Amino acid sequence: MPLMRIDMIRGRSQSEIKQILDIAYHAASTALHLRPRDRYQIVTQHDPDEMIIEDVGLGFERTSAFLERVWIL
């Protein structure tokens, strides 16, 4: 599996983080036809002032629930 990095604002529970990782893995394994347990994921939590996530005119507000997911193939 490609390395998957997920950046988020600090404050989620461990169960929320596990659910995010499980959903991201399921999506990647479905899209990329990965083998079971082929899983490399890293979560980095940031203080709110360490992530600047501004509106770009798309008509919706970004919140502290924002996730940045990067796949490194």
Side-chain angles (χ1 to χ4, degrees):
M1 175 178 184
L3 171 62
M4 183 182 299
R5 295 185 48 95
I6 300 174
D7 292 272
M8 62 183 66
I9 294 174
R10 191 177 316 281
R12 294 179 188 265
S13 70
Q14 291 300 318
S15 63
E16 287 177 296
I17 294 170
K18 173 85 167 83
Q19 184 178 23
I20 290 166
L21 291 173
D22 289 346
I23 291 168
Y25 171 73
H26 177 73
S29 63
T30 299
L32 302 174
H33 308 287
L34 302 174
R35 292 176 289 173
R37 297 176 38 104
D38 188 7
R39 190 169 180 167
Y40 302 92
Q41 297 172 298
I42 298 172
V43 169
T44 305
Q45 296 187 64
H46 302 273
D47 291 330
D49 62 339
E50 294 177 337
M51 293 182 75
I52 299 172
I53 307 157
E54 297 178 342
D55 178 30
V56 293
L58 297 176
F60 59 89
E61 275 190 53
R62 293 191 173 97
T63 70
S64 61
F66 177 85
L67 296 171
E68 174 70 28
R69 186 181 68 198
V70 178
W71 291 4
I72 301 170
L73 302 174

